Amino acid sequence: MIITIGGDVCVTDSNKEMFANTETNKLFTNVIDVFAASDINFVNLECALTESENRIKKFGPNLKGPKSTAAVLKKAGIDYCSLSNNHTFDFGIGGLMDTVDALNENKITYTGIGDNDLDARKDLIIEHEGKKIAFITVCEHEYSYALPDRIGTRVYDPYDTSDDIVKAKKNADYVIVIYHGGKEHCRYPSPRLRKLCRSMANHGADVVLCQHSHCIGCYEKYNNCHIMYGQGNFHFTGMNPDESEMWSTGMLVQLEFTNESKIKFIPTVAENGGIRLANDIEKAKLLKELDGRNAELENDAWLNGWHKFCEENKKTYTEAIVGGNLDWFSHYLDCEAHTDVWRELYPTWNMTNEK
């Protein structure tokens, strides 16, 4: 059994016409061959599929694509997707319902949302070759998460999510957790993120994949669990003017479950509004760089990389206080990834006393 998992998929101005015209071959090129050879294909859909203009209030862009996007994904070979991310609710309940309708019309099974916070805690169970695979997809507290009285995404909770993993492991052969979080544009996990991913492994997860960072991060195998701290973008082209290598490259994760779980990384590159498999030179470079960061997880070098990133972005966080923008500040406090940066930049006196 082979499972292929892609990271973030989003329609952008660079390719919205291609999605509208269902130009699947231009959008996915030879990546389609990878999906064709896989038993289960799963991605994160990080935009609403709607014509609505009813944008929610938020910092950052409100992302959407045409409803025909679902047909493109289906034609490319994708049968499953997560909606648990920080852009699913960008156009409110109406936009979310449009997205659900588009996925249903194209027979793409989705997970990661619910009518309320309790209903959202439903696992996706896929049965294949006599095995049960449980997908648990969660996101951090940023704009889209369900409330006790409102539809939304399945949010990460240090207690609930751990309980959900334990429960899923009792009924499934393999548990795959998709965690939509971590700091954008940072190739290293925060100390909190690494600790929680390892905790999920200790509670029974076989695979933990972190998405959302928009860059390829690093990988480790811990307690027989595969943990990827950042897959990079899958299909999210044209959002940055310079289309840097960090933004335009990603890793498909391919899992094979036999007597033991095996993992394989397949690099992809954005190009001309679509994506393709990395050529031999690109592939060798991206995998070598990944191996280098993986090695840094074995010593304190990853902590240095995390701290350097926080220092480079200090001005943004300082201005949230100095500028007196309480809406901005409250958002930073709500979202775990932003709180990680606060703690790194502004340690409490307890962290420095007696040093």
Side-chain angles (χ1 to χ4, degrees), residues 45 49-50 67-68 70-71 83 93-108 110 113:
L45 178 59
L49 304 184
T50 183
K67 296 182 74 173
S68 57
L83 297 179
I93 294 175
L96 178 53
M97 291 297 95
D98 287 343
T99 304
V100 167
D101 288 343
L103 294 173
N104 285 335
E105 288 170 8
N106 289 277
K107 295 181 172 56
I108 295 178
Y110 58 88
I113 62 167

Side-chain angles (χ1 to χ4, degrees), residues 334-349:
D334 196 26
C335 179
E336 293 87 341
H338 293 305
T339 302
D340 288 345
V341 179
W342 283 118
R343 288 174 173 167
E344 186 71 20
L345 292 175
Y346 305 104
T348 65
W349 289 340

